[in-house]
Structures are given as structure tokens and as C-alpha cells.
């Protein structure tokens, strides 16, 4: 289906990946149905900064071929010149604070394609998966994936997301149980304190009552001990109460 709408390619200044830029450029050229001469002219117009200096090495700009300009750019800014830099970024890549496992996996995949562009997809996938697991900041998540022996980056990312979700749900549940336990503990302590207060109050009243009662009993005992019988000479009763008095026995 023909359309008058034309896609516009991005610019290139020599920074970033030339391979990624050319891949997007070729896709846009295909969508716009550009011929090689048009592709060469548009590619030249997209160059900026130090990348534009490549045009000075072209002898005949009027007959500039797309493949010629592409070769000059690859010679100067090709990925082979930046392979060591990409490899260093790839091997030193670690999960940043607050970075999701999906974002980490996507960046690991990008760096793997740049650092190991000469490798097959299957080999590069295994290398990227191993680096992804190594880059994780969650120790439990890292050990779990290592024990499972996953070799696919896509599978590792999905598995990591699932484990992380389970961890978050378990943490929320644990926090809820801890909160309920704390509330129950505080309630039990309050009930225990109230019960102790009641016991102390009851004990105080009991001691007060016993103190009054004990004083009365001591007085009666003291008075009883002061009694002396003139009949038998014993203490504890009077003569009229003496059991040895024949007059009291009937």
C-alpha cells in the first residue's frame, strides 16, 4: 500500500552504536522505498559532528555510493572500535538501586549484542543470562536462579519477576501478622496490668480488714489471759466460770 508519509531517520554524531543507527536507517529506507543514491544522500545529511568529517575523505560527492559511505563510517566508528568498551560495560553491569529486573535484563541484552556481536544468538543468550543473574542485587533471587540452572535470558527475567512478586507478597503478609501479633501482645499486657491492679487493690482491702480484725482478736486474747480463777488458781476464767466449782456443776 503506497503512502505519501515519509519516515525521517535519526542523526548520528559518532557517539553511540553505529550498528544500531544503520539498522534503523535501513529499516526507514526500506519503508520509504529509497534507492541507493537516495540512501547515500540521506545518510550524508544525517551525519553530525565528528561523523560528518568523514565526508571530507570522499573524492566525488556527486557520485557518492551508499555502500562506500557506510564502509567509511564502519571503519571509523564501527563496533569493532568500541567492542572493548561495550565488553567492559557488560561485565561490570550491576543492578542499580530501584531498578527493575526487566530494565536490567533489557540493558544486559543490549550490551551483550554490542560486546558479542560475532557470537551466535544461542551463545550470546547464555552469556547474557549468566551476566544477568550475576548482576542481581537480591542475594536470594540470585541463588535461586543459579540453582535452577536457567540458560535463557528471557526465561531468567520472567522467573526473577515471579520470585520477586512472591517475596513481596510474603513480606506484606509477614508485616500484617507482625502488626496483629504486636497489637495482641499490647492488649494482653494491658489486660494483665489491669488484672494486677485489681489484685493489688483487693489485697490492700483484705490486709486492711485483717489488720482491724486482728487487733480486736488480740485484745480479747489479752483480756482472756488476764483472767485468774480464785477457786483453782488457773488463768483464763473467773471463779464463777471455774469448772471445778461444785456450785457451777448441776
Amino acid at each position: 500500500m503506497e503512502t505519501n508519509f515519509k519516515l525521517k531517520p535519526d542523526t548520528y554524531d559518532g557517539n553511540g552504536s553505529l550498528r544500531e543507527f544503520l539498522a534503523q536507517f535501513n529499516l526507514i529506507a526500506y519503508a520509504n522505498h529509497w534507492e541507493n543514491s537516495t540512501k547515500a544522500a540521506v545518510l550524508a545529511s544525517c551525519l553530525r559532528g565528528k561523523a560528518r568529517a568523514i565526508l571530507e575523505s570522499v573524492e566525488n560527492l556527486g557520485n557518492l555510493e551508499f555502500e562506500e559511505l557506510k564502509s567509511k563510517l564502519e571503519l571509523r566508528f564501527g563496533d569493532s572500535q568500541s567492542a572493548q568498551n561495550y565488553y567492559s560495560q557488560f561485565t561490570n553491569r550491576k543492578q542499580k538501586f530501584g531498578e527493575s529486573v526487566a530494565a536490567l535484563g533489557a540493558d544486559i541484552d543490549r550490551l551483550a549484542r554490542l560486546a558479542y556481536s560475532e557470537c551466535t544468538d544461542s551463545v550470546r543468550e547464555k552469556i547474557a543470562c549468566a551476566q544477568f543473574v550475576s548482576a542481581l542485587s537480591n542475594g536470594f533471587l540470585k541463588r535461586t536462579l543459579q540453582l535452577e540452572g536457567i540458560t535463557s535470558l528471557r526465561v531468567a527475567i520472567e522467573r526473577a519477576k515471579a520470585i520477586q512478586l512472591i517475596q513481596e507478597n510474603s513480606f506484606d503478609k509477614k508485616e500484617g501478622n507482625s502488626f496483629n501479633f504486636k497489637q495482641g501482645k499490647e492488649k494482653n499486657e494491658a489486660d494483665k496490668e489491669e488484672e494486677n491492679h485489681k489484685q493489688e487493690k483487693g489485697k490492700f482491702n483484705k490486709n486492711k480488714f485483717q489488720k482491724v480484725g486482728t487487733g480486736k482478736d488480740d485484745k480479747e486474747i489479752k483480756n482472756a489471759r488476764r483472767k485468774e480463777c480464785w477457786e483453782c488458781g488457773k488463768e483464763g476464767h473467773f471463779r464463777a466460770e471455774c469448772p471445778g466449782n461444785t456450785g457451777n456443776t448441776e
Side-chain angles (χ1 to χ4, degrees):
M1 180 178 178
E2 295 292 336
T3 176
N4 293 327
F5 180 75
K6 299 296 182 181
L7 299 176
K8 183 178 180 180
D10 200 357
T11 60
Y12 183 73
D13 60 359
N15 297 317
S17 173
L18 176 64
R19 185 170 63 88
E20 292 179 355
F21 168 75
L22 291 176
Q24 184 188 55
F25 182 88
N26 286 327
L27 182 62
I28 293 175
Y30 175 80
N32 291 338
H33 305 286
W34 289 339
E35 296 180 354
N36 284 336
S37 58
T38 304
K39 288 172 61 177
V42 175
L43 177 59
S45 68
C46 292
L47 301 180
R48 300 287 186 275
K50 56 185 178 181
R52 186 167 51 194
I54 293 293
L55 298 177
E56 296 179 356
S57 63
V58 179
E59 296 180 358
N60 189 356
L61 291 175
N63 295 324
L64 179 63
E65 294 290 335
F66 174 75
E67 290 298 330
E68 179 186 358
L69 181 56
K70 177 184 174 183
S71 298
K72 290 181 178 295
L73 288 171
E74 288 177 339
L75 183 62
R76 175 66 177 84
F77 304 106
D79 291 339
S80 59
Q81 303 296 324
S82 305
Q84 186 62 35
N85 181 40
Y86 291 134
Y87 175 78
S88 178
Q89 293 182 41
F90 176 80
T91 55
N92 293 319
R93 184 66 165 88
K94 300 297 180 183
Q95 186 176 18
K96 302 174 184 177
F97 179 78
E99 184 180 27
S100 66
V101 293
L104 173 65
D107 196 43
I108 289 289
D109 181 61
R110 179 186 68 84
L111 292 173
R113 294 180 182 278
L114 295 173
Y116 298 94
S117 58
E118 73 284 356
C119 296
T120 61
D121 291 341
S122 60
V123 173
R124 186 168 55 243
E125 183 79 1
K126 292 180 180 179
I127 296 174
C129 180
Q131 181 59 32
F132 169 76
V133 175
S134 177
L136 291 170
S137 60
N138 188 318
F140 174 78
L141 190 59
K142 180 187 298 186
R143 289 190 297 272
T144 302
L145 294 179
Q146 288 173 341
L147 291 174
E148 292 182 356
I150 299 174
T151 58
S152 170
L153 178 60
R154 182 185 62 81
V155 175
I157 294 173
E158 293 300 324
R159 181 61 177 149
K161 290 165 64 177
I163 296 174
Q164 196 172 52
L165 181 61
I166 294 173
Q167 277 189 310
E168 291 174 355
N169 292 337
S170 299
F171 178 77
D172 293 340
K173 185 176 180 180
K174 183 178 180 181
E175 284 292 310
N177 292 338
S178 177
F179 178 74
N180 293 334
F181 174 77
K182 184 177 180 181
Q183 280 190 326
K185 184 177 180 181
E186 291 177 352
K187 185 176 184 302
N188 291 336
E189 290 178 352
D191 294 342
K192 186 176 180 180
E193 184 177 354
E194 183 178 357
E195 183 65 23
N196 291 337
H197 178 70
K198 291 181 179 180
Q199 290 179 358
E200 290 294 332
K201 185 176 180 181
K203 185 177 180 181
F204 174 77
N205 293 335
K206 183 178 179 181
N207 291 339
K208 184 177 180 181
F209 174 78
Q210 288 179 348
K211 184 176 180 181
V212 175
T214 302
K216 184 177 179 181
D217 293 342
D218 291 344
K219 186 176 180 181
E220 291 179 353
I221 293 173
K222 185 176 181 181
N223 292 334
R225 288 179 177 176
R226 292 176 60 184
K227 294 179 181 180
E228 183 178 354
C229 179
W230 292 355
E231 181 70 24
C232 63
K234 296 180 180 180
E235 295 182 351
H237 60 274
F238 293 111
R239 179 181 179 184
E241 301 171 349
C242 181
N245 190 349
T246 56
N248 294 333
T249 304
E250 291 184 359

